[in-house]
Amino acid sequence: MIGKWQALVIDCEDPDKLASFYQELLGMIRVQENDEFISIGDAADRPAIALQRVERLVRPQWPDAEHPQQMHVDVLVADLDSAEAEVLRLGATSLDAGTDTFRVYTDPSGHPFCLVLT
């Protein structure tokens, strides 16, 4: 082992807004915060999702090699329909893509993520 995973860092224009979205989606807490960077996770000593402020975000498009997704998060759910209703309420956008076992959305900053049936 070379090192330990610390965080998945996601560029965004509004770290507070995106942190709130992922906190509610994944049931996490804020473990580090300043004006430019917020980390959320299970605890301060565990891997986190970090939201980092950038002045100009070039939003990915799904699927498009000219505007690649850059990263995405898979979220396991027991019921796709009820999970979809909840993420849309939080500010996600459906990309009307997927199958009967997963669906693709974007978070409020335009990053793709998938709801995946357990």
Side-chain angles (χ1 to χ4, degrees), residues 12-104:
C12 61
E13 295 167 322
D14 187 344
D16 181 62
K17 180 179 180 180
L18 203 56
S20 295
F21 174 85
Y22 280 108
Q23 277 181 259
E24 194 161 339
L25 175 65
L26 301 173
M28 294 180 163
I29 59 170
R30 291 186 187 209
V31 295
Q32 179 184 4
E33 182 171 3
N34 62 47
D35 290 341
E36 302 299 313
F37 191 89
I38 297 172
S39 291
I40 63 171
D42 298 328
D45 62 340
R46 306 232 332 130
I49 295 176
L51 302 308
Q52 174 178 271
R53 184 182 310 279
V54 296
E55 289 194 29
R56 182 180 163 272
L57 179 69
V58 177
R59 291 177 179 250
Q61 296 177 18
W62 183 287
D64 181 353
E66 293 293 315
H67 301 92
Q69 62 178 314
Q70 302 159 7
M71 67 91 203
H72 79 269
V73 176
D74 283 349
V75 179
L76 292 174
V77 300
D79 182 297
L80 284 172
D81 292 332
S82 60
E84 176 176 77
E86 286 298 305
V87 299
L88 294 175
R89 180 187 63 78
L90 292 175
T93 301
S94 173
L95 294 183
D96 296 319
T99 68
D100 57 344
T101 61
F102 78 94
R103 295 180 189 163
V104 185

